[in-house]
Amino acid sequence: MPRTARPTFEQARTVFRLVGDLRDLRGDPGGQRRLIVHSMCEILGARQGTALLLENFAGGESMRFREATHGGWANGAVIELWEALLHARQFHRDVVMRGCQDIEAARPAGERHRRPVARLRDQIVPDDVFYAAPLVRELLPVLEIDSHVCGWHTPGPGAPTLALTFHRDARDRPFAPREREVLQLFLEELAIVGAEGKLDPPPVAPAGRGDRERPFLSPRERAVLKHLLGGRSVKETAIALRISHRTTEDYVKALYRKYDVHSRGELMTRFVSAPELVG
């Protein structure tokens, strides 16, 4: 590795300190992910970061989004936009995410659980493909972020993948190999303490998805569900939660998909017969 690509002593020390702080948050996996995103934004000099829990990241089935934790964005409207894309499964249009999935799928199965991966965006997808992608052309003017550094790790068979992605302002200098190596170092240290049982392991996905399974819901999905079950319309729910009508509809569609229903009436019936199904 070229000397200029190695993490500085201060960067490495900060990474080790962060991993120690994460150990102190054992019992609060959501708090751990929030600390990861906010701290790594500072360490990497990123404007925005997101931690994603994804199922089937390297499997043959369709990749499924489970949960997202955001940090670094000052604009709440941008977070709402990203959440809407995730819950509407629009992240499948993201050429960077698909490229990460292809890299992971090409690795030997045993290696996926032993060694995390970190990549700069141009190591995942070339410029001509990235800037020609419809989702990129649609979102870059809105998000005003461009340069990516991404990393991911699947801690064990059946566990969801923790995928981290960080971005810089489109007008800022791109991430360099050193930032990639800093993220690689962090993920490797995280994998070591996780294997030692010093972190909360991600919940293993259930083997079967029967009718009585309680699906995982994000905090926003639970809030929308609560309003719907309370008798509010989609419009009234959007106003109560201070989000757009379209975003609320996206959450409603996600609820229908997770509970395997096709209408609000069916959703209500599910909870009359099995109220424990709420996530």
Side-chain angles (χ1 to χ4, degrees), residues 7-22:
T8 66
F9 174 77
E10 183 59 33
Q11 286 172 326
R13 187 170 66 173
T14 305
V15 164
F16 296 143
R17 187 184 305 125
L18 171 58
V19 174
D21 291 341
L22 291 169

Side-chain angles (χ1 to χ4, degrees), residues 14-61:
T14 305
V15 164
F16 296 143
R17 187 184 305 125
L18 171 58
V19 174
D21 291 341
L22 291 169
R23 291 170 60 181
D24 293 339
L25 280 174
R26 187 174 183 182
D28 181 11
Q32 288 175 340
R33 287 192 292 274
R34 287 191 295 273
L35 180 60
I36 287 172
V37 174
H38 287 288
S39 297
M40 289 304 296
C41 276
E42 293 184 9
I43 295 170
L44 297 171
R47 176 185 170 190
Q48 179 272 330
T50 298
L52 296 167
L53 286 182
L54 300 167
E55 295 178 6
N56 294 328
F57 187 66
E61 301 177 44

Side-chain angles (χ1 to χ4, degrees), residues 7 13 19 23 40 46 53-54 63 75 83 91 102 129 141 155 181 196 199 216 238 252 267 277:
R13 187 170 66 173
V19 174
R23 291 170 60 181
M40 289 304 296
L53 286 182
L54 300 167
M63 180 169 55
N75 187 350
E83 281 281 337
F91 63 95
D102 291 342
V129 175
E181 291 302 322
E196 294 172 348
L199 291 177
F216 176 85
V252 172
L267 185 66
L277 283 175

Side-chain angles (χ1 to χ4, degrees), residues 16 19 23 113-116 153 155 184-199:
F16 296 143
V19 174
R23 291 170 60 181
H113 308 312
R114 291 195 303 267
R115 183 171 172 80
H153 179 53
Q184 180 76 42
L185 174 65
F186 168 71
L187 286 169
E188 289 179 354
E189 289 300 312
L190 197 67
I192 290 171
V193 297
E196 294 172 348
K198 297 175 182 177
L199 291 177

Side-chain angles (χ1 to χ4, degrees), residues 18-258:
L18 171 58
V19 174
D21 291 341
L22 291 169
R23 291 170 60 181
D24 293 339
L25 280 174
R26 187 174 183 182
D28 181 11
Q32 288 175 340
R33 287 192 292 274
R34 287 191 295 273
L35 180 60
I36 287 172
V37 174
H38 287 288
S39 297
M40 289 304 296
C41 276
E42 293 184 9
I43 295 170
L44 297 171
R47 176 185 170 190
Q48 179 272 330
T50 298
L52 296 167
L53 286 182
L54 300 167
E55 295 178 6
N56 294 328
F57 187 66
E61 301 177 44
S62 176
M63 180 169 55
R64 290 192 296 267
F65 159 70
R66 180 181 284 194
E67 187 175 350
T69 303
H70 307 284
W73 261 322
N75 187 350
V78 176
I79 294 179
E80 292 289 352
L81 173 61
W82 183 232
E83 281 281 337
L85 289 170
L86 288 169
H87 286 278
R89 297 191 176 187
Q90 294 299 301
F91 63 95
H92 285 293
R93 297 169 55 202
D94 186 335
V95 292
V96 176
M97 186 65 70
R98 292 205 309 268
C100 293
Q101 189 180 25
D102 291 342
I103 291 172
E104 184 71 352
R107 301 171 71 205
E111 184 181 331
R112 297 172 195 160
H113 308 312
R114 291 195 303 267
R115 183 171 172 80
V117 177
R119 293 285 189 274
L120 297 173
R121 197 271 299 157
D122 60 6
Q123 296 176 310
I124 300 168
V125 56
D127 285 353
D128 56 343
V129 175
F130 176 73
Y131 290 109
L135 186 62
V136 173
R137 293 201 308 268
E138 177 184 338
L139 293 185
L140 271 184
V142 179
L143 302 183
E144 296 182 343
I145 54 175
D146 191 346
S147 182
H148 299 55
V149 59
C150 306
W152 58 89
H153 179 53
T154 306
T161 298
L162 172 65
L164 302 175
T165 177
F166 297 93
H167 307 270
R168 280 183 172 165
D169 192 287
R171 295 158 292 191
D172 201 356
R173 68 175 180 85
F175 287 112
R178 173 169 282 163
E179 281 90 24
R180 180 200 65 221
E181 291 302 322
V182 169
L183 182 57
Q184 180 76 42
L185 174 65
F186 168 71
L187 286 169
E188 289 179 354
E189 289 300 312
L190 197 67
I192 290 171
V193 297
E196 294 172 348
K198 297 175 182 177
L199 291 177
D200 294 289
V204 175
R209 294 181 176 270
D211 290 340
R212 297 297 179 183
E213 179 193 344
R214 187 174 68 175
F216 176 85
L217 302 183
S218 71
R220 183 66 81 183
E221 286 174 332
R222 286 195 294 270
V224 170
L225 178 60
K226 179 180 177 181
H227 285 288
L228 293 179
L229 296 178
R232 282 183 168 165
S233 67
V234 173
K235 181 178 180 180
E236 290 169 336
T237 299
I239 294 172
L241 297 178
R242 297 183 180 180
I243 57 179
S244 72
H245 186 274
R246 183 172 180 178
T247 298
T248 307
E249 287 182 331
D250 287 335
Y251 286 127
V252 172
K253 291 176 183 177
L255 290 170
Y256 286 178
R257 183 175 64 251
K258 290 187 175 184

